[in-house]
Amino acid sequence: MLQKIPSSNSGASAREGKNVMSQQKVVCGDAYKNVEKYLDDSTVIVTDPPYNIKYHYRTYTDNKKDEEYWRDLSHLCSLAPSCVIMYPESLFVLSSWMNQIPTKVCSWVYNANTEKQHRDAAYFGIKPNFNLYKQPYKDMNDPRCKKLFERTGGARSYDWKEWPQVKNKNKDDGGTGVTHPCQMPVEIMKYLVGIIPTEYKIVDPFAGSGTTGVACKLLDRDFIGLEIDSEYVRLANARISQANE
């Protein structure tokens, strides 16, 4: 299902002038059965889904038949404008099943002792705005760059970002003693959410450890996440509640 592409202009926040704080929470539920109740015209899906590579999660079985996996995931990601994080080859397959061409693809690059050293994030049905998420200028030791940074808040983002993978998950477990095997870096999720126009709420159907929610709290964005494992729900909400800039 082809989605209408929202404007890349930041627009007015739904909370502007109302003095209402943004809200973020993760609820226990099955993404494929429950996500539609959380979607409307003001939501964008942002998710790093299971990759169907027999990964060992506590509850979810990451071993569907290929056709079932791609059918279910492509349907879910077509329910609303979406940003989907996967390995590049998998995004080609997803795009084919969705019958959509991404409006933009961004890359997360990391140094790892593995064959794959980057993942991509494809935006379907929505145009990201790189001016919305600022970054420091390249030479912040230059006094001119420092003055420019003070005036502008930084340079626009690029379509790629280098950031290390999360190594020691025990340091960021919200005091729960629970860890998730595939925790995303907060900075990467801030970047991917931060370039989405600010009037949209964020929904993550595969919330996992709650990093998308943490990013949304730091960005003052409304967020709802779904997670099938109750212990991961506890982990995610603890991390969100303790998130501070």
Side-chain angles (χ1 to χ4, degrees):
M1 179 173 65
L2 187 63
Q3 298 290 327
K4 179 180 178 181
I5 299 176
S7 167
S8 61
N9 294 327
S10 63
S13 168
R15 301 182 303 279
E16 188 173 339
K18 298 181 180 180
N19 196 29
V20 177
M21 293 181 64
S22 63
Q23 296 184 342
Q24 306 84 24
K25 68 176 179 178
V26 175
V27 298
C28 196
D30 187 319
Y32 296 113
K33 295 178 181 179
N34 305 126
V35 70
E36 289 191 59
K37 69 173 71 173
Y38 300 103
L39 302 177
D40 56 37
D41 291 341
S42 67
T43 51
V44 174
I45 292 171
V46 178
T47 194
D48 174 35
Y51 293 170
N52 209 41
I53 55 175
K54 302 180 181 180
Y55 212 90
H56 298 292
Y57 298 101
R58 282 174 33 89
T59 303
Y60 177 77
T61 301
D62 191 36
N63 188 24
K64 289 185 174 182
K65 292 182 178 180
D66 280 351
E67 183 174 350
E68 178 187 7
Y69 171 77
W70 290 115
R71 182 193 65 227
D72 291 349
L73 184 61
S74 61
H75 173 70
L76 186 153
C77 295
S78 298
L79 293 172
S82 57
C83 168
V84 187
I85 306 151
M86 303 185 85
Y87 291 115
E89 300 85 353
S90 296
L91 283 175
F92 279 107
V93 180
L94 179 63
S95 178
S96 176
W97 273 84
M98 292 175 66
N99 195 28
Q100 287 195 53
I101 298 172
T103 60
K104 189 67 182 177
V105 176
C106 301
S107 293
W108 164 35
V109 182
Y110 47 85
N111 186 10
N113 190 27
T114 60
E115 178 185 1
K116 297 180 182 295
Q117 305 224 1
H118 85 282
R119 286 180 231 175
D120 286 346
Y123 291 81
F124 296 97
I126 189 166
K127 293 180 179 178
N129 182 346
F130 291 96
N131 289 307
L132 294 177
Y133 191 75
K134 302 289 188 178
Q135 62 180 344
Y137 294 100
K138 287 191 176 296
D139 186 6
M140 288 300 293
N141 291 320
D142 187 325
R144 294 169 298 179
C145 289
K146 289 182 178 180
K147 289 184 178 180
L148 188 61
F149 182 83
E150 291 172 359
R151 187 173 76 248
T152 65
R156 68 189 293 275
S157 292
Y158 307 136
D159 63 358
W160 67 276
K161 191 173 186 68
E162 184 173 4
W163 199 265
Q165 294 175 295
V166 178
K167 298 297 184 182
N168 191 344
K169 304 175 183 68
N170 293 317
K171 290 184 177 180
D172 189 16
D173 65 0
T176 63
V178 179
T179 58
H180 189 281
C182 301
Q183 186 168 313
M184 288 288 292
V186 172
E187 179 58 31
I188 292 300
M189 297 314 300
K190 283 180 64 181
Y191 158 63
L192 296 175
V193 170
I195 59 178
I196 294 173
T198 56
E199 63 264 37
Y200 293 97
K201 296 180 293 185
I202 305 300
V203 174
D204 188 345
F206 304 98
S209 65
T211 303
T212 310
V214 171
C216 287
K217 183 175 183 180
L218 297 176
L219 294 169
D220 194 24
R221 302 287 294 264
D222 285 320
F223 166 83
I224 185 76
L226 280 81
E227 172 52 49
I228 199 169
D229 188 300
S230 60
E231 282 294 278
Y232 292 158
V233 172
R234 187 165 68 91
L235 164 66
N237 284 320
R239 292 183 66 223
I240 291 170
S241 69
Q242 296 175 25
N244 292 299
E245 187 63 77

